[in-house]
Amino acid sequence: MTWNDIAFSVPAPLSHVAVDGVRVHGKHGVFESEKAQGHDFLVDVDMRVDTRSAGRDDALERSVSYADAAAIVEEVVAGRSVDLIETLAERIAQCVLERHVLVREVSVNVHKPTAPIPQPFTDARVRLTRRAAPVRAFIALGSNLGDSEDFLAGALAALARIPETRLIAASRVFETDPVSDIDQDVYLNAAALLETSLSPWQLLDSLHEIENAARRTRTLRWGPRTLDLDLISWGQLTCDDERLTLPHPRAHERAFVLAPMLDINPEWSFPDGRQASDLVKVAPDRAGLRPGPRVAGFASEARPRKGVR
């Protein structure tokens, strides 16, 4: 088998999490009487989310709340007066996408059933759909068993083939001493920056498929491995459940993770504001970090101070 033979699972279709007919009184319209007296608006919000992992494990934190969507509708419609219901729909959609990064697409339907139209009518509405921008995700790569250079090169090529994902950059390869007391060879470590439309759990599944192609076994924690792919960050998302913790729970104290990430983006910071450039200086394993071999696909020299964001 070659790395190009990996048959990545087709991402499951996104599910719909929706709330319909949220009724909020708002003072919107082109006429002064509308701004003074207002109307009752009805709003439908349909959020498209990867709910497969949430549904399988009954994990609330892996999905989104329709109650939160209803609260956003109330906030926007009851807020500052505007002329157009198109503006209300845009604001609701943008708020949903900004506050709920797991929502990859949202449709908003704003109804104004009491619009000042002289002819008999049932409803006046505006419907729009907006997609979320792809998310930047950092992947840490490591290997110390078998032909590590080949495993890293193959894994990088496979990362570029993940569906709905684009490889943005790869760090230099570093040689690092093991951080555990287990007798094993030195590691080769690197990092890759991806841009993806997959959910973090879909992306994690793809990383496991690449590890499986490298015949990765998990019989000994922190033991030698042909290939280790860790999802370090997915945008600014923070989560902590039995399957995935973001950012990675030990990334902040591992120079073999921080240094390659900084090689791609010297300005990178954790969602809580901690700068990776400060953390790497005090990482317990920093003395065991040194330049590694040149490996196909990975950077051959450090990038300028202005990093990839």
Side-chain angles (χ1 to χ4, degrees):
M1 190 201 77
T2 67
W3 294 99
N4 288 330
D5 293 329
I6 300 175
F8 289 105
S9 300
V10 177
L14 295 176
S15 303
H16 296 262
V17 178
V19 57
D20 293 337
V22 180
R23 184 184 298 272
V24 182
H25 192 79
K27 298 182 178 181
H28 310 285
V30 296
F31 300 112
E32 288 302 321
S33 59
E34 295 181 281
K35 288 182 168 58
Q37 300 172 15
H39 298 268
D40 278 352
F41 294 85
L42 297 174
V43 181
D44 312 322
V45 180
D46 183 353
M47 301 172 290
R48 301 202 67 201
V49 186
D50 168 34
T51 62
R52 183 176 55 170
S53 180
R56 181 182 59 222
D57 298 331
D58 197 26
L60 177 65
E61 63 276 8
R62 299 180 201 169
S63 188
V64 296
S65 168
Y66 40 77
D68 287 347
I72 289 173
V73 170
E74 182 177 38
E75 174 188 329
V76 172
V77 176
R80 182 168 61 87
S81 176
V82 299
D83 290 344
L84 302 175
I85 58 175
E86 291 92 328
T87 305
L88 293 179
E90 287 284 0
R91 289 182 177 176
I92 292 167
Q94 290 307 312
C95 281
V96 169
L97 294 176
E98 288 171 5
R99 298 182 192 180
H100 298 282
V101 293
L102 294 179
V103 177
R104 307 314 300 149
E105 183 176 289
V106 61
S107 294
V108 177
N109 212 354
V110 177
H111 305 260
K112 189 177 180 181
T114 57
I117 300 174
Q119 293 81 11
F121 72 102
T122 302
D123 189 20
R125 68 181 184 274
V126 166
R127 176 183 173 86
L128 58 80
T129 298
R130 297 291 179 262
R131 288 185 60 84
V135 173
R136 295 282 176 99
F138 263 114
I139 310 299
L141 302 88
S143 174
N144 76 332
L145 191 62
D147 188 342
S148 292
E149 293 184 32
D150 181 67
F151 282 124
L152 291 187
L156 189 67
L159 288 173
R161 294 181 50 248
I162 295 175
E164 300 181 30
T165 299
R166 184 167 66 98
L167 176 64
I168 300 295
S171 72
R172 292 173 293 170
V173 173
F174 293 79
E175 185 178 274
T176 64
D177 293 333
V179 296
S180 74
D181 295 330
I182 299 170
D183 184 23
Q184 56 184 311
D185 289 336
V186 297
Y187 279 83
L188 296 185
N189 289 102
L193 179 62
L194 307 179
E195 189 174 74
T196 184
S197 294
L198 299 179
S199 75
W201 295 278
Q202 288 174 318
L203 183 57
L204 184 64
D205 287 342
S206 293
L207 299 185
H208 288 165
E209 292 185 58
I210 297 173
E211 289 179 335
N212 291 339
R215 301 178 298 282
R216 162 72 187 275
T217 60
R218 292 174 171 79
T219 55
L220 184 62
R221 189 184 188 195
W222 293 333
R225 67 285 309 271
T226 57
L227 181 64
D228 191 21
L229 298 178
D230 284 328
L231 178 55
I232 303 300
S233 66
W234 188 89
Q236 294 296 301
L237 179 67
T238 59
C239 70
D240 186 6
D241 65 38
E242 60 185 17
R243 184 153 187 255
L244 179 64
T245 298
L246 290 173
H248 190 282
R250 291 176 297 279
H252 67 282
E253 59 187 23
R254 300 297 198 218
F256 68 79
V257 172
L258 295 168
M261 291 172 63
L262 287 166
D263 208 41
I264 294 175
N265 180 3
E267 312 298 328
W268 193 83
S269 62
F270 286 83
D272 62 7
R274 291 176 297 170
Q275 293 288 325
S277 56
D278 294 331
L279 294 168
V280 74
K281 296 173 185 175
V282 296
D285 65 324
R286 64 190 182 282
L289 186 74
R290 50 196 170 270
R294 290 191 177 186
V295 176
F298 291 89
S300 58
E301 58 184 22
R303 286 176 174 77
R305 185 62 188 166
K306 290 296 183 181
V308 180
R309 290 187 176 275

